[in-house]
Amino acid sequence: MELQELLEHFKEGEVITDPEIFISMSEYIAENRRLLFDMNHNWHENESEITELFSKIIGKPVDPSVRICTPFFTDFGKNITVGKNIFINSDCKFQDQGGIYIGDDVFIGHNVVLATLDHELDPERRGLVPAPIRIGNKVWIGSGAIITKGVTIGEGSIVAAGAVVTRDVPARVVVGGVPAKVLKQI
């Protein structure tokens, strides 16, 4: 299955149960693992080499202002879009089949998880449910935060360290806790 067709399936947001989709997804995941191995386990003389590898992972050009501290992990890789002046600290994990969209001037702390897939609640079915995560401009995400599928983080907001974000976050607020709630306006 071609990448665009696969991405369209993810974009529809419907439960994924088709074995052909899982097989195709596995092929892209294998390719992604090779690139991640190079990114995370080889010495790179400068940040531009890491940015180039990240561009190959996501299949799109990446602005040179994007900085990623390794190790970095993503399972699929091809459904991530990033703006300019992005900083992603080490040990972040992006599960991106549902789509991850990161605006400009975003700072992401250590060990942040962005998870765009969920499983069906019915244990008799093995389907996956994708939904995008959208991170607005000028957002800060603290270390150890988890953001789940379908969440939008509004412009200028801060996600506290260790927060579990399961619902949309309005612009210019601080959220924290499990599950995250608005702690204050900015």
Side-chain angles (χ1 to χ4, degrees), residues 10 14 17 23 33 35-36 45 48 54 62-63 70 94 97 105 108 126 154 156 159 162 166 171 181:
F10 296 147
E14 295 177 11
T17 57
I23 290 168
R33 285 183 183 153
L35 292 167
L36 284 171
E45 289 297 324
S48 67
F54 185 65
V62 174
D63 191 82
T70 57
F94 290 10
Q97 284 89 335
D105 305 308
I108 299 176
R126 299 278 181 201
V159 175
T166 59
K181 63 181 181 180

Side-chain angles (χ1 to χ4, degrees), residues 93-107:
K93 296 156 189 79
F94 290 10
Q95 180 192 52
D96 65 289
Q97 284 89 335
I100 295 174
Y101 306 91
I102 301 173
D104 296 333
D105 305 308
V106 172
F107 299 96

Side-chain angles (χ1 to χ4, degrees), residues 43-100:
W43 177 253
H44 302 285
E45 289 297 324
N46 55 56
E47 290 181 18
S48 67
E49 292 176 10
I50 294 171
T51 304
E52 282 180 39
L53 282 166
F54 185 65
S55 180
K56 288 179 184 177
I57 287 167
I58 69 172
K60 304 173 192 119
V62 174
D63 191 82
S65 64
V66 173
R67 292 187 2 215
I68 299 172
C69 295
T70 57
F72 169 82
F73 304 95
T74 184
D75 54 354
F76 182 67
K78 299 295 188 217
N79 208 1
I80 300 171
T81 302
V82 296
K84 296 178 182 175
N85 196 31
I86 308 296
F87 177 76
I88 300 171
N89 219 324
S90 62
D91 288 315
C92 288
K93 296 156 189 79
F94 290 10
Q95 180 192 52
D96 65 289
Q97 284 89 335
I100 295 174

